[in-house]
Amino acid sequence: MKKEDLRIVFMGTPEFAVETLKALVDNHYKVVAVVTQPDKPVGRHGSVLQPSPVKQYALEQGLPVLQPEKMKDVAFVEMLRSYKANLQVVVAFRMLPEIVWAMPEYGTFNVHAALLPQYRGAAPINWAVINGETETGVTTFFLDHDIDTGRIIEQMKFPIPDDANVEYVYDGLMHLGARICLSTLDKIVEADGHPHSMAQVEDSLGLHHAPKIFKETCAIDWNKSTKQVYDFVRGLSPYPGAWTNMIDEQGRAVLLKIFRTTKTDMPADANPGQLRADKKHLYVACSDCWLRIDELQLAGKKRMDAIAFLNGMKEVEKYSLASV
């Protein structure tokens, strides 16, 4: 088979997926159509519709774009079939019904931002950092009936430095995802559409899952260790941001987001969540040691470093941070 024989439908929505679609276009693969989410209402009244990053790039390249509300919609399925794709590539999209993923002759493969079977789910990058992993990666696998369980075609690893936040890992995996997609396509071409793949083998020690992140997921528990809180903060920074409530002596609370911290080995001689400060540093007690807070944001204020925060906040020791 030659690469020109492949007729590819690409499916994806966010910026993460654009890098892979761009790699397909730049490497002269025949992308016959792009499927993405419907335009999203934005603005105060939701009166403005914002196209997804994938749609914006696809239109710039003159690629046909499909935006189904429901993946089983008969009109959408027939339109998809009309492009006569023999392969579908999925990156950061939604769950597909069998009538869609089983349509092409060579199947549908997904680029997943984790080393499967670990971190199946919607937020694998966040959870890998939150859990203090030192390594993650990307996986290509054929879709089947269950989420993120199909046969693995290829994997590539990516190290996570101890000081990296989720933005760093996201950017690295975005580019690595494009690279593994091209490598997987090479394997498909070389194997006449049927590359070697292997069933996922689940670790006997258990699996880490990667469920969707919600606001309540991002609440900090100060009863955990300094290392656990440190990883939690960087696993949610810069977006959506780990948060806590700052409580004054009268019990009044204000929302506080924390974006960057530094571990210390100073034993905490206060209750978890208690604040302490010197002229240049702000600390919070965790279950074992003091954690230095370096960058934060009070509700209604701009994001700032600890020095700017302390300049505007007197007698900080009278405040505490509420654990969930």
Side-chain angles (χ1 to χ4, degrees), residues 300-317:
K301 303 291 185 179
K302 293 182 178 180
R303 186 168 163 176
M304 65 187 79
D305 61 24
I307 295 177
F309 175 81
L310 292 171
N311 286 338
M313 180 67 66
K314 306 303 180 183
E315 298 182 303
V316 70
E317 288 83 358

Side-chain angles (χ1 to χ4, degrees), residues 152-295:
I152 292 173
I153 309 166
E154 190 172 2
Q155 292 187 318
M156 293 181 179
K157 295 180 178 181
F158 182 84
I160 304 177
D162 184 64
D163 60 350
N165 65 10
V166 75
E167 183 176 46
Y168 172 90
V169 182
Y170 179 99
D171 187 67
L173 294 185
M174 180 173 68
H175 291 89
L176 193 61
R179 181 177 149 199
I180 199 174
C181 179
L182 294 177
S183 177
T184 298
L185 288 172
D186 287 343
K187 293 180 185 298
I188 290 172
V189 170
E190 291 169 5
D192 290 327
H194 303 285
H196 173 73
S197 61
M198 63 183 112
Q200 295 188 31
V201 178
E202 299 191 3
D203 194 320
S204 60
L205 299 178
L207 297 178
H208 292 295
H209 297 285
K212 188 175 180 179
I213 301 288
F214 296 97
K215 180 182 177 181
E216 54 269 26
T217 312
C218 304
I220 302 170
D221 183 356
W222 300 108
N223 291 298
K224 292 189 174 182
S225 71
T226 303
K227 175 68 163 65
Q228 287 175 309
V229 176
Y230 170 79
D231 290 335
F232 187 79
V233 168
R234 67 193 182 101
L236 296 168
S237 179
Y239 182 84
W243 63 270
T244 185
N245 283 313
M246 192 168 76
I247 312 295
D248 66 13
E249 290 182 301
Q250 285 73 45
R252 294 172 298 194
V254 60
L255 184 73
L256 179 71
K257 283 193 173 185
I258 299 177
F259 297 99
R260 186 165 52 87
T261 64
T262 298
K263 292 173 289 182
T264 81
D265 56 5
M266 300 184 298
D269 52 354
N271 293 326
Q274 182 60 51
L275 290 172
R276 180 173 293 177
D278 56 32
K279 291 183 178 180
K280 293 184 178 181
H281 300 110
L282 175 66
Y283 300 94
V284 59
C286 297
S287 65
D288 54 352
C289 295
W290 290 96
L291 180 70
R292 195 177 81 201
I293 300 175
D294 299 320
E295 197 170 359

